[in-house]
Amino acid sequence: MIASTAALTQAQRAAVDHAGGPLLIVAGAGTGKTRVLVERYRRLRQDGVPAEQILLLTFTEKAAREVLDRVEQEDYLPAGERFVLTYHAFAQRFLQEEGWLCGIPKGFRIVSEVRKWELMRDVLLALRPPHLFHAQRPYERIGELLKLVERAKQELVSPVEFRAWAEANAIADDPVLAAQRQAALVYGEYQARLLAEERLDFDDTIYFSVQLLTQEPSVAARQSRRFTHLMVDEFQDTNFAQSRLLELLAGTERNLCVVGDDDQSIYKFRGASVANLRRFHAVFPDAAVIRLEENYRSRGPILRAAGRLISDDPDRLEKRLIATRGEGRAVSVLTATNVTEEADAVAILVKTATDEGRHRPNAIAILLRANAHLHNFARALQRQGVAYQVSGGRGFYQQPEIKDCLAYLRAVDSPDDSVCLMRLLSLPRYATDSVQAGRWARQARDDGRRFFDLLQESNDHGARRLTDDLRRFNGLALRLGVDDLFYEVMEQTHYLDLERFLGPIERLQVSANVQKLAELIAAYCDEHPDHHLSAYLKHLNATEAAQADEEIAPLDETVNAVHLMTVHQAKGLEFGLVIIPHLVEGRFPASRRGEGLTLPNELLKEELPAAELHLAEERRLAYVALTRAREEIVCTLASRYEGVRDWRPSRFLTPVRGEGVRELAAPQLLAATVGLVEVARQVELPLNDAPPIAALSYTQVDTYLRCPQMYQYRFVFRLPTRPKPQMQFGRILHDALKDALGNIDRETPLSWAMVDSAYVAAWARERFCAPEQAPSLQDLGRTYLRRAFDAGDLSKPLLLEQPFSLRVDGLRLTGRIDRVDRHPDGSYEIIDYKTGSAKRAAELQRDLQLGVYALAAREVFRFDPLSLSYYYLETSERVTVDKPRERLDEDRETIVKVAEGIRAEVFVAKPDRMKCSGCDFRLLCPSAAV
């Protein structure tokens, strides 16, 4: 028995100790399912299962990171790579390795939502199907068609299968069937264009993984040998394709452990089906079933209210949550007369809870049914002076800083855009009086002149400065792609001069949003050959037409502010106080919307009546909201929202009010608070104390050592950086070597043609930031590789691009080793490729990167004896370095000191003329030496 399982319940211990074969863990909310998964992982490792043979799948990247952190903390056995991934991350890696067998290009990339819309638009314009295309409204059904394609892939319906159905039903005289027949043709053409661009969407990764495993039994057998144990979190949220993928990966051994709760299945809109829990029983009839029912999160009144609510679902799996934390405050129901009064009363409740010290701001969540309803509560919190953060909310392009950035780009492209010019004039850099700016705009219109020309002739310093900036940026736009242009605009205008923002929350949010915009622009350039500013602005118009708004950039857990989010976003989280507004019929539960164009019933693998599905899922969504709370629940509703009629209370309130509920009236709360004042911007509270650093990468450590201020700009504020030719050149060479050396086997010895082919492919995948340098660097890189090949230095390695996770005094340091060789005498050699000039071995004795490699090799992989080498591609010179124990102790101490500096938020600049001249933040940093 593992020592740490002593405190487990009997059910938890049974789940952890389950020896083998299929296992279904029915885990109610707050019953410790994550702990069970982590302990089961640890138990498998104690039983001798290598980490590389355990695959643990989750639904979100955040959940994967959290589970991986827990696993790293609990499992102290040496491990190379741990496979704790999302479904899509696993499928992407699988297809990158094996996808060529079913025609998937090795360098495929994931398509963006906007590009999907553009592709579907192009397909409709080309085919013009009469039931799906209207000349005056050519794009109105694009959203429906994209959802149909998404659903088809989730149901494992191929374009060929869909088209065969269409041909079999060709004579049916029904407009719905006619639209579905034409949709089959659209699906085929859309998928062909997507693959022609070497793009896949997320559903494709699962779809093609299932196809490959089904059609190639040898691949399936290889994967089941590679991963001997599978564990899956949130199994109730799987769709049919994901469920089928798990069945194929389980292989003949069937060591598949799934954790699920049908009461928390809330993702029908993305294809998830409660039926998969029943399907699991059908596919694995001998599966062991263990129920976790002891709840460690919520107080008794909360659990009883949630239990009464969910018990109205007749098809749920039987379970009864048992409160282990005793009793607490009664559930509260607050009634208001209108939506504004409801929001203001909620803000007062929140402020009272924080003022009385019952809850910290970040332990409070307001959970809405829909993103569109967040705004009223944000304004109410502002009026009460309560700091908040919108988590996962849409409206990225409506954020003030994003509007500013796009105003710059639009004004550069079109200086006649008076709206953009007016917005820019209000920025602190130009500080022009808004009334005066309006007068200028009117004068320009009355005189028939360009607003830009009038500003240029003005005696106002701010106006002239703006026109000077725009003229300069317009010149840059003639020779720079939009990604580099955006960087120049941000840098030269000092837009992210963080001192001008009022407090830490605003600074973090603004910098995170601007960084996300830079990433979106870079993603556009990856997908489109035309990088000119005008082409990007057309893409923005398509983004607007596609209604493809993005989520506001998330902030990390250091922000001490109330959470404002949807219930879907709150899945997997918990809070001290949870407030659930808008509990009226039509809002929660939401009204059922028509699904529009759907797949033919004959192609569906599993389905339930739509009306039953809708109401049951809304009930589960309310259940999830209730069970996020540890201490208190407040449900709220108003008599009047939009329209003139009174809204009926939600049917979900009846079971919630089943016992001892505390009724509150909004007018009474508001009467005690007078003089609410509208505030213009976010209220700031201090950040929490810095959380413990769970992990650092070598890049982070190296950046901090070079300049702590640079670390802060890059990793704390996440300011955008631009690619550098030398860094890209090095990455291309590394990718070429990885692909060429990875293709060596007994039947296929390495040839120069293989190396050159890998090099050409690596260049094709990279969007090089300096096109004028590309030809010369291509020739140089080919010379490097040819020299290394002719010298016989390119051989089959033991390991290639090997990730590692190294513990250093409680800290996890991550990185990746270029290659590891095993020599005939049994010794190991770590080799790292360098594109710079060679250094002497004596200089490299204090090289931290080699020290990290040595520590990982000895403590994680147990390589002994070991040598460390840098291979300099410029000269084909291999420099081997000896790292004695005292040097490694110094390296370990350096890493610990870096972590201590980051924890203490010591970000003092280290100005140096050479370093500062190449720093991305030199125009922002007040300490820059240039």
Side-chain angles (χ1 to χ4, degrees):
M1 181 63 62
I2 307 171
S4 70
T5 63
L8 295 176
T9 65
Q10 183 176 353
Q12 289 175 328
R13 185 176 293 110
V16 170
D17 293 343
H18 178 74
L23 170 64
L24 170 61
I25 302 173
V26 181
T31 57
K33 66 179 178 62
T34 302
R35 186 186 177 201
V36 168
L37 283 173
V38 172
E39 288 292 348
R40 181 165 174 77
Y41 186 105
R42 185 169 175 268
R43 175 58 183 263
L44 290 172
R45 297 282 285 118
Q46 293 283 348
D47 289 345
V49 180
E52 294 83 357
Q53 291 183 11
I54 303 173
L55 175 61
L56 198 162
L57 296 178
T58 70
F59 271 88
T60 66
E61 292 181 2
K62 183 175 184 292
R65 287 194 302 269
E66 290 173 353
V67 173
L68 178 58
D69 284 342
R70 291 273 294 273
V71 165
E72 292 279 3
Q73 292 167 14
E74 296 294 331
D75 177 24
Y76 283 84
L77 294 177
E81 186 168 11
R82 299 184 192 271
F83 290 90
V84 181
L85 303 165
T86 64
Y87 277 93
H88 295 125
F90 167 76
Q92 283 180 250
R93 293 179 61 150
F94 173 60
L95 290 178
Q96 284 165 350
E97 295 173 3
E98 307 273 12
W100 62 274
L101 290 168
C102 62
I104 301 299
K106 194 168 186 178
F108 75 85
R109 296 185 181 184
I110 298 298
V111 67
S112 70
E113 292 300 311
V114 179
R115 186 59 186 148
K116 286 165 61 175
W117 188 92
E118 291 173 331
L119 283 171
M120 186 62 76
R121 174 199 63 194
D122 296 343
V123 169
L124 288 179
L125 290 173
L127 299 182
R128 298 179 182 267
H131 286 84
L132 301 175
F133 180 87
H134 191 288
Q136 291 181 302
R137 302 182 300 278
Y139 308 144
E140 70 175 358
R141 305 201 73 173
I142 289 179
E144 277 184 80
L145 285 164
L146 287 173
K147 287 181 181 178
L148 179 70
V149 168
E150 179 182 273
R151 185 65 190 279
K153 294 173 183 179
Q154 291 168 353
E155 292 285 325
L156 298 178
V157 176
S158 69
V160 173
E161 184 181 359
F162 200 170
R163 187 159 187 168
W165 171 89
E167 292 171 353
N169 291 271
I171 60 174
D173 186 18
D174 182 325
V176 174
L177 292 179
Q180 289 174 326
R181 288 196 300 268
Q182 292 168 16
L185 300 178
V186 169
Y187 178 21
E189 180 64 19
Y190 168 83
Q191 194 65 14
R193 294 190 181 212
L194 191 63
L195 292 174
E197 292 189 358
E198 299 192 351
R199 303 278 173 179
L200 300 181
D201 60 31
F202 284 119
D203 290 301
D204 278 325
T205 63
I206 306 294
Y207 171 84
F208 283 113
S209 294
V210 171
Q211 294 299 313
L212 179 55
L213 291 169
T214 303
Q215 296 168 8
E216 299 289 344
S218 62
V219 175
R222 186 160 60 246
Q223 286 298 310
S224 62
R225 289 194 301 270
R226 180 180 183 183
F227 298 112
T228 58
H229 288 81
L230 276 70
M231 290 189 282
V232 180
D233 194 11
E234 305 286 7
F235 182 70
Q236 76 279 353
D237 293 331
T238 54
N239 57 44
F240 176 76
Q242 291 165 335
S243 180
R244 183 71 183 123
L245 174 65
L246 294 174
E247 295 162 15
L248 292 166
L249 291 174
T252 57
E253 296 298 318
R254 305 186 310 150
N255 290 325
L256 172 61
C257 167
V258 302
V259 180
D261 180 11
D262 57 325
D263 292 341
Q264 299 185 70
S265 179
I266 59 173
Y267 290 109
K268 179 66 175 67
F269 66 88
R270 68 182 187 196
S273 174
V274 180
N276 279 327
L277 284 167
R278 292 189 284 273
R279 175 182 170 80
F280 187 85
H281 284 294
V283 175
F284 303 106
D286 58 336
V289 180
I290 296 173
R291 287 178 169 81
L292 304 183
E293 297 178 314
E294 294 185 49
N295 178 282
Y296 302 96
R297 176 187 299 156
S298 305
R299 297 289 186 181
I302 298 170
L303 282 188
R304 288 193 292 275
R308 291 191 299 270
L309 171 68
I310 201 64
S311 65
D312 287 342
D313 185 350
D315 296 322
R316 63 188 289 263
L317 300 176
E318 186 57 39
K319 72 185 79 66
R320 184 175 66 88
L321 295 186
I322 302 167
T324 64
R325 297 188 59 234
E327 294 302 303
R329 283 177 172 251
V331 173
S332 300
V333 176
L334 182 148
T335 304
T337 57
N338 57 60
V339 66
T340 302
E341 184 180 87
E342 179 186 12
D344 284 333
V346 165
I348 290 172
L349 286 174
V350 168
K351 184 170 175 57
T352 301
T354 57
D355 289 348
E356 292 177 354
R358 297 204 317 272
H359 302 285
R360 289 175 62 83
N362 64 356
I364 300 174
I366 302 172
L367 306 183
L368 279 299
R369 173 61 184 85
N371 268 300
H373 303 153
L374 296 174
H375 177 73
N376 286 320
F377 293 89
R379 300 293 287 173
L381 291 171
Q382 289 175 1
R383 288 191 287 269
Q384 282 294 322
V386 176
Y388 67 91
Q389 58 173 318
V390 177
S391 303
R394 296 284 173 175
F396 173 77
Y397 288 107
Q398 281 70 55
Q399 297 307 296
E401 58 274 13
I402 302 305
K403 288 183 176 180
D404 292 343
C405 294
L406 296 181
Y408 266 122
L409 295 180
R410 292 187 186 280
V412 170
D413 184 66
S414 179
D416 293 331
D417 191 328
S418 59
V419 173
C420 289
L421 293 176
M422 291 279 289
R423 183 174 190 91
L424 295 176
L425 285 169
S426 69
L427 296 180
R429 178 175 175 82
Y430 311 110
T432 299
D433 178 70
S434 59
V435 175
Q436 181 60 50
R439 289 172 181 160
W440 286 333
R442 179 172 179 174
Q443 180 184 342
R445 185 172 62 251
D446 291 345
D447 294 348
R449 302 181 60 197
R450 292 202 315 165
F451 187 23
F452 181 89
D453 293 339
L454 193 147
L455 293 178
Q456 192 171 9
E457 297 168 4
S458 168
N459 293 324
D460 184 88
H461 173 72
R464 291 201 311 275
R465 189 179 195 185
L466 174 60
T467 58
D468 289 344
D469 283 348
L470 293 178
R471 279 205 317 274
R472 186 168 65 255
F473 297 147
N474 187 269
L476 292 174
L478 297 176
R479 59 184 180 84
L480 295 180
V482 64
D483 48 350
D484 288 329
L485 175 65
F486 178 68
Y487 184 91
E488 292 293 341
V489 170
M490 292 294 98
E491 190 175 57
Q492 293 187 30
T493 61
H494 292 249
Y495 183 82
L496 284 175
D497 180 357
L498 299 176
E499 295 305 317
R500 74 183 178 89
F501 299 110
L502 291 184
I505 294 178
E506 186 175 1
R507 292 175 189 173
L508 287 172
Q509 188 66 73
V510 168
S511 60
N513 282 339
V514 173
Q515 168 66 13
K516 180 169 182 173
L517 180 59
E519 292 168 358
L520 290 171
I521 292 174
Y524 159 82
C525 292
D526 280 341
E527 289 190 319
H528 297 79
D530 189 348
H531 300 167
H532 290 97
L533 172 60
S534 57
Y536 172 71
L537 293 177
K538 289 180 182 177
H539 170 78
L540 268 184
N541 294 335
T543 301
E544 182 178 346
Q547 298 181 337
D549 202 358
E550 295 280 338
E551 290 185 357
I552 297 168
L555 300 181
D556 60 31
E557 288 78 8
T558 63
V559 176
N560 186 22
V562 173
H563 296 271
L564 193 55
M565 62 175 71
T566 67
V567 182
H568 284 100
Q569 288 289 335
K571 179 76 179 294
L573 304 178
E574 59 181 61
F575 307 93
L577 167 60
V578 169
I579 299 171
I580 310 172
H582 295 352
L583 278 163
V584 293
E585 292 292 315
R587 287 209 167 185
F588 207 168
S591 300
R592 178 172 173 253
R593 297 178 179 177
E595 294 187 52
L597 195 62
T598 60
L599 277 178
N601 290 334
E602 297 89 334
L603 297 179
L604 295 177
K605 307 301 187 294
E606 296 165 324
E607 190 54 274
L608 293 173
E612 177 186 345
L613 276 174
H614 173 74
L615 185 57
E617 176 143 328
E618 290 292 307
R619 182 182 293 110
R620 293 192 295 269
L621 196 59
Y623 174 82
V624 166
L626 289 170
T627 54
R628 298 311 92 200
R630 292 191 297 266
E631 304 292 339
E632 298 181 57
I633 279 285
V634 179
C635 299
T636 77
L637 69 156
S639 301
R640 196 69 62 84
Y641 292 93
E642 63 268 12
V644 296
R645 66 178 179 85
D646 284 346
W647 291 57
R648 288 186 296 116
S650 168
R651 69 191 73 191
F652 300 152
L653 278 174
T654 301
V656 168
R657 279 174 158 149
E659 67 164 64
V661 70
R662 188 169 67 123
E663 298 284 352
L664 302 174
Q668 295 173 4
L669 285 175
L670 295 174
T673 306
V674 296
L676 292 179
V677 178
E678 187 80 16
V679 295
R681 60 196 309 163
Q682 170 70 289
V683 179
E684 296 295 331
L685 289 181
L687 302 183
N688 287 343
D689 294 334
I693 299 175
L696 284 174
S697 67
Y698 170 74
T699 300
Q700 289 174 295
V701 173
D702 181 60
T703 302
Y704 188 90
L705 289 172
R706 280 190 286 158
C707 178
Q709 179 75 79
M710 182 193 299
Y711 176 93
Q712 185 185 42
Y713 284 143
R714 182 174 177 186
F715 295 108
V716 178
F717 291 132
R718 294 183 290 179
L719 302 186
T721 60
R722 52 182 168 185
K724 296 179 174 60
Q726 197 58 35
M727 297 292 290
Q728 289 186 287
F729 178 57
R731 183 164 58 244
I732 289 168
L733 286 170
H734 275 75
D735 288 347
L737 287 166
K738 179 187 71 173
D739 291 344
L741 299 179
N743 287 329
I744 301 174
D745 56 37
R746 293 178 181 175
E747 290 75 31
T748 313
L750 187 67
S751 65
W752 169 246
M754 291 168 62
V755 178
D756 192 59
S757 175
Y759 182 59
V760 171
W763 268 101
R765 291 194 298 269
E766 189 77 24
R767 187 171 54 81
F768 204 69
C769 66
E772 68 279 5
Q773 298 181 38
S776 58
L777 286 174
Q778 286 172 347
D779 293 339
L780 183 63
R782 184 171 278 108
T783 300
Y784 286 177
L785 294 175
R786 184 75 209 204
R787 187 184 297 126
F789 176 82
D790 290 341
D793 292 333
L794 303 182
S795 56
K796 178 71 174 177
L798 174 67
L799 297 173
L800 201 60
E801 291 290 328
Q802 176 62 42
F804 63 82
S805 177
L806 169 69
R807 285 187 174 275
V808 180
D809 290 3
L811 175 77
R812 184 157 51 89
L813 186 67
T814 61
R816 190 176 293 269
I817 299 172
D818 281 359
R819 68 177 287 169
V820 180
D821 285 355
R822 179 81 181 272
H823 296 304
D825 64 358
S827 65
Y828 297 87
E829 182 181 17
I830 285 180
I831 300 174
D832 191 76
Y833 293 107
K834 296 293 182 185
T835 55
S837 301
K839 295 182 180 179
R840 294 180 296 110
E843 294 180 74
L844 296 172
Q845 281 244 327
R846 295 185 179 277
D847 186 273
L848 180 62
Q849 187 173 15
L850 285 177
V852 169
Y853 287 164
L855 290 170
R858 288 168 179 161
E859 297 179 14
V860 176
F861 302 107
R862 309 296 185 191
F863 292 157
D864 189 58
L866 175 72
S867 60
L868 306 164
S869 299
Y870 276 155
Y871 188 95
Y872 292 96
L873 291 164
E874 183 179 10
T875 58
S876 298
E877 182 180 357
R878 183 181 308 202
V879 179
T880 301
V881 181
D882 178 45
K883 271 277 190 180
R885 176 61 58 185
E886 57 269 26
R887 294 287 189 226
L888 293 179
D889 290 341
E890 291 175 6
D891 292 340
R892 187 186 296 273
E893 185 177 344
T894 298
I895 294 166
V896 171
K897 286 183 177 179
V898 166
E900 290 173 350
I902 294 171
R903 288 191 186 103
E905 300 182 324
V906 178
F907 301 123
V908 180
K910 292 183 179 178
D912 173 89
R913 183 172 296 275
M914 184 66 70
K915 291 180 181 177
C916 291
S917 64
C919 177
D920 287 315
F921 315 112
R922 62 186 182 276
L923 294 182
L924 176 60
C925 178
S927 304
V930 293

